[in-house]
Amino acid sequence: MKLLIKLLIVIVSFLGIIDASFLSYEKLTGHIPPCTVGFQCDTVLTSKWSILFGVPLPLYGLAFYGFTFVIAVLHFLEIDHISIDAKRKLHTADLQLILAMFGICFSLYLVSIMGLVLHAWCLYCLLSALCCLTLFVLNVMQWHMQKKICVCSASSPKTVIFSWLYAHIAKPLFFMIDAEVVHIAMTRVGAFLGRFALSQQLTRWMFFYGDKQLATKVDGIVFPNPVGLAAGFDYEGRLGSILPSVGFGFHTIGTVTYRSYEGNEPPRLGRFPDSKALLVNKGFKSEGAPAIIDRLKGKKFAIPTGISIGSTNAVYATLNDQIDDIVKCFKLFEASTVKHAYYELNISCPNTQGGQPFTTPQRLNALLTKLKNLHIKRPVYIKMPIDLSQKETNSLLQIASAYSFIKGVIFGNLTKDHSNPDVAKHDRDRWNQVKGNLSGKPTWNRSNALIAFTKKKYGKRFTIIGTGGIFTPEDAQTKLELGADLVQLITGMIYEGPQLIGEINRHFSKVAGNNLKK
Ligand SMILES: Cc1cc2nc3c(=O)[nH]c(=O)nc-3n(C[C@H](O)[C@H](O)[C@H](O)COP(=O)(O)O)c2cc1C
């Protein structure tokens, strides 16, 4: 099949050469080629639109098909790349797809000119448009089969296109700009798109994958699918209207703190691409609970939405003061009209400057004792650290299991362990010179080990949310198989693109859906 597609691309680009050569010859010799009844080749070929920058359009077509043909032949002969220099090479399959996309866009433009401006059709130009369309479809099929980009067994051609566009256009562009600037800009774009039904629908068309079978009931909450946006991306609660269209099944806002904090000194975000990680040094940047509640109160959420709460980044005189800060934040949300479905209790933020994390049994117990008095009705999930040993983690789980309002745990937060073997060597050197902690692949193994341990030791006592290093549908499936009930991600979406969410759901729908709680 692969060989047949390669061959068809060669043949169709050759047909394009014949068509464009004939038109070029006729144009240059001043003839109008014979035209069947119903077509108006002369109107089109003698119009001002048939010349671009002084050059007849058929010549552009000839160059385009000629180049496409050469690349297609190289690809057919299994020459999979052309070296530009010692380090850089162009993959022939990539080049083909770029050319095909360019061809389809230009064809669309020319067909619109014929239909909308000239109201006349040229048979040979339509043949060329058909060649471009065929080349485009064949190239997408080729990409789909080669699985060159974040693809699973069930990728749709639309997703393949968006994966490709993200990997080759959007991501290189984003990665040239400061990470926090991109984050802020994307949040604004997302908030804007969420304001209108039309842009919501367009986003849905681009990314969404839905299947009723993916619905899962956890702690009394019905999640339309098990894939959530983890805490830290929408820390101000601005994206609730667009995330369902992207395909998320739930979403956590925050971490929100009782008082506002402008964040650590920049840079607050960075990228470690070789380790497939992000460097996070926000230190609980938050507008503060009252401002967030003001934004969210009375709003309807289309998917279950949680609030992640942590202690304000400040210096506290005593442990009780720090606990009091968290308790006040919970109280504000409990008393508000915000329609959130659950809480995350962030005990593990590794980059705050003042208060200590609640990652010792004594401190956690003191915090949970106070929270218990609030009689919180919604489920509370503890966001766990991932750098503790199994024994240390177990001692925290034992404390948590004694409190019935703690329904589950999330594994886990960022890694702050500079000896983490999943960080690339030169990234480690860079990391040693900057503040912050890592998300993404360096959290993958540890998160998985702790999910598996907790499931084995505590069975159904805890709902488990698997977070950390999900970059493909198969990664998400692994977390479910190890014992997670739901999964969350951020970094995978930033590295692979927003179509990843639909991809995971499509995969679950086809392969892994049986693991879901009903
Ligand atoms: C930019 C960024 C900000 C984050 N901020 C928070 C936060 O405020 N609260 C929290 O509980 N986790 C936060 N996290 C951790 C994520 O929720 C998640 O646990 C971690 O990134 C691992 O998942 P990932 O590999 O899919 O990103 C943040 C992560 C990133 C990348």
Side-chain angles (χ1 to χ4, degrees), residues 185-493:
M186 285 303 106
T187 304
R188 290 202 181 137
V189 169
F192 178 78
L193 293 176
R195 279 172 57 189
F196 311 101
L198 188 68
S199 42
Q200 284 175 2
Q201 283 303 323
L202 186 69
T203 309
R204 201 178 157 86
W205 174 81
M206 282 165 41
F207 303 125
F208 182 85
Y209 179 84
D211 177 353
K212 287 203 174 91
Q213 299 297 321
L214 293 174
T216 174
K217 194 167 182 184
V218 179
D219 300 319
I221 306 169
V222 177
F223 294 80
N225 69 61
V227 187
L229 180 69
F233 192 84
D234 185 21
Y235 59 97
E236 292 176 337
R238 295 178 188 275
L239 298 175
S241 305
I242 196 67
L243 293 175
S245 305
V246 176
F248 282 106
F250 64 109
H251 130 251
T252 301
I253 292 169
T255 293
V256 179
T257 56
Y258 177 59
R259 285 177 283 150
S260 66
Y261 177 66
E262 73 280 10
N264 290 343
E265 277 290 299
R268 286 186 276 258
L269 267 185
R271 308 175 184 99
F272 284 15
D274 290 342
S275 304
K276 289 189 148 189
L278 296 172
L279 178 81
V280 185
N281 176 38
K282 291 207 164 190
F284 282 173
K285 185 174 194 283
S286 175
E287 292 176 300
I292 307 266
I293 288 172
D294 225 36
R295 179 167 304 121
L296 300 177
K297 66 184 175 200
K299 274 198 179 146
K300 272 192 179 166
F301 300 120
I303 50 176
T305 297
I307 307 291
S308 164
I309 292 179
S311 64
T312 307
N313 194 346
V315 179
Y316 296 91
T318 65
L319 171 64
N320 271 342
D321 290 345
Q322 193 180 350
I323 291 177
D324 196 41
D325 179 280
I326 295 182
V327 169
K328 279 182 187 155
C329 196
F330 269 95
K331 271 187 180 165
L332 278 186
F333 274 98
E334 281 294 273
S336 75
T337 56
V338 178
K339 296 183 171 67
H340 52 298
Y342 63 92
Y343 291 103
E344 289 184 14
L345 174 59
N346 190 348
I347 61 166
S348 50
C349 179
N351 51 26
T352 47
Q353 312 295 307
Q356 298 297 308
F358 289 87
T359 49
T360 63
Q362 298 72 17
R363 289 176 66 87
L364 181 62
N365 199 31
L367 172 63
L368 296 185
T369 306
K370 286 279 168 62
L371 286 177
K372 184 182 167 196
N373 297 334
L374 297 182
H375 304 291
I376 299 166
K377 296 279 181 311
R378 299 168 173 97
V380 179
Y381 305 121
I382 299 183
K383 183 79 172 263
M384 298 289 283
I386 57 161
D387 291 327
L388 297 183
S389 67
Q390 195 168 294
K391 198 171 156 211
E392 289 165 323
T393 304
N394 190 38
S395 63
L396 295 180
L397 292 174
Q398 271 175 354
I399 299 289
S401 67
Y403 294 88
S404 60
F405 71 98
I406 300 296
K407 299 291 184 213
V409 284
I410 303 165
F411 287 111
N413 219 318
L414 307 163
T415 176
K416 59 178 172 180
D417 176 9
H418 284 233
S419 63
N420 186 324
D422 298 323
V423 180
K425 162 97 184 56
H426 59 280
D427 281 343
R428 201 189 314 277
D429 297 341
R430 241 184 91 198
W431 190 15
N432 286 333
Q433 288 153 32
V434 287
K435 281 190 183 158
N437 304 291
L438 299 185
S439 68
K441 277 299 171 197
T443 66
W444 165 254
N445 282 319
R446 290 174 180 208
S447 144
N448 288 355
L450 292 172
I451 291 169
F453 166 73
T454 306
K455 187 69 191 175
K456 194 160 169 228
K457 176 114 186 148
Y458 291 88
K460 292 185 175 166
R461 166 60 187 91
F462 291 118
T463 291
I464 300 176
I465 304 180
T467 310
I470 296 175
F471 279 66
T472 66
E474 287 79 3
D475 289 347
Q477 183 185 349
T478 300
K479 294 225 192 272
L480 287 193
E481 285 170 358
L482 290 172
D485 302 289
L486 302 163
V487 294
Q488 291 177 327
L489 62 111
I490 294 182
T491 310
M493 177 179 71

